[in-house]
Amino acid sequence: MSMLVTERIYQFSSVSGAGLWGGNVFLLAGNELTLVDTGYRGGTKRILKEVGRLGYYPSDIANIIITHHHADHVGNLAALKLATQAKVITHPADAPYIDGRLPPPGPAGLRWLSKAVPLRRLWTTTPAAVDMPVNDGDQLPILDGIKVVHTPGHTPGSICLWLKHQRLIITGDLLANRFRLSLPSKPFTADMAQEIRSIAKLASLDFDIVCFGHGSPLVDKAHPTIVNFAERLEGKHQRVH
Ligand SMILES: [Zn+2]
Ligand SMILES: [Zn+2]
């Protein structure tokens, strides 16, 4: 259920990073543990079991970073926070949807889908207080330093995490890599033009490995692949306008 992406960084997921598990969950194993995202609700025991299998206790988890407010990333947040007492870290623009001040917007143009009972169950999450809002450029003292990169578009407060020392980026849903590199789904993306600008911002950074909210990590030629994808998007975008 978990794979080692690079030294001290684990990805917990199903094969495609989709389905009932929800988005990928990452474990950063430094002096203390940090989780990145939490999957769909109902997976708390599974996550803690996996943490245990790797030789850690729930109380070793000091931080939970949330890349954005969607239910497939915050589903187990409240339960994990309760079990671990970890500090919840996210961007202030998504915080109101996580702490319950605002109801999470459902998929645009697909109202029937947000009313479908099984989906509504998954989409409903228990609010959790955000302890530490982080903004673009902030540095977190985790695994030799994580830089927060604000990449709005999919949601207003979407962030990427740039682990400079590991030359690795965790993108959340800025991009997915289920079967190939792709944009996040349109109905779930708040502002596609802004999203495309954020992908260009990602391409301007320096890295060797990219980990996604959905799908497998890109470990081979990751930077040129992302640059190429961003350039093709830019070209398409210019043709349209
Ligand atoms: Zn997702
Ligand atoms: Zn999402």
Side-chain angles (χ1 to χ4, degrees):
M1 215 40 134
S2 71
M3 61 174 274
L4 186 67
V5 181
T6 185
E7 205 189 341
R8 300 190 293 171
I9 299 172
Y10 298 88
Q11 176 174 317
F12 299 0
S13 61
S14 58
V15 175
S16 62
L20 287 181
W21 178 271
N24 293 325
V25 175
F26 296 92
L27 177 72
L28 316 181
N31 291 334
E32 49 187 25
L33 300 185
T34 299
L35 286 178
V36 179
D37 288 339
T38 69
Y40 270 130
R41 62 189 285 184
T44 303
K45 269 192 193 150
R46 226 170 352 162
I47 292 170
L48 292 179
K49 201 172 155 191
E50 198 56 33
V51 167
R53 213 183 55 81
L54 294 170
Y56 302 103
Y57 296 101
S59 57
D60 294 333
I61 301 171
N63 311 295
I64 305 174
I65 306 176
I66 298 295
T67 62
H68 66 295
H69 72 75
H70 283 158
D72 53 332
H73 299 258
V74 303
N76 297 298
L77 178 61
L80 282 170
K81 183 175 181 170
L82 197 68
T84 63
Q85 305 297 316
K87 186 160 68 179
V88 176
I89 303 171
T90 198
H91 191 277
D94 271 25
Y97 305 109
I98 295 169
D99 64 20
R101 276 177 289 156
L102 288 174
L110 290 176
R111 290 279 164 254
W112 61 270
L113 192 63
S114 52
K115 287 198 180 81
V117 171
L119 206 87
R120 199 175 54 201
R121 241 192 68 78
L122 282 176
W123 198 251
T124 309
T125 55
T126 309
V130 172
D131 303 294
M132 187 179 166
V134 284
N135 290 288
D136 189 54
D138 283 358
Q139 300 273 357
L140 298 168
I142 295 166
L143 281 193
D144 310 313
I146 294 181
K147 191 168 182 178
V148 175
V149 185
H150 185 209
T151 50
H154 182 56
T155 68
S158 286
I159 53 172
C160 292
L161 303 174
W162 188 11
L163 288 78
K164 280 192 176 174
H165 192 80
Q166 284 75 13
R167 301 186 54 78
L168 180 148
I169 293 207
I170 299 175
T171 67
D173 284 359
L174 176 63
L175 287 168
N177 190 35
R178 282 192 181 97
F179 305 105
R180 58 187 171 82
L181 213 52
S182 63
L183 289 170
S185 78
K186 250 194 195 149
F188 286 95
T189 297
D191 184 336
M192 203 43 103
Q194 196 180 41
E195 160 73 21
I196 289 167
R197 285 197 296 276
S198 286
I199 293 172
K201 184 175 181 179
L202 169 72
S204 73
L205 306 176
D206 187 24
F207 51 82
D208 293 329
I209 302 172
V210 186
C211 293
F212 305 88
H214 301 273
S216 323
L218 205 55
V219 292
D220 187 33
K221 301 193 183 76
H223 191 252
T225 304
I226 298 287
V227 168
N228 188 269
F229 187 85
E231 282 173 356
R232 274 188 296 142
L233 274 181
E234 194 95 333
K236 258 188 219 162
H237 207 58
Q238 275 164 5
R239 275 203 302 280
V240 171
H241 293 279

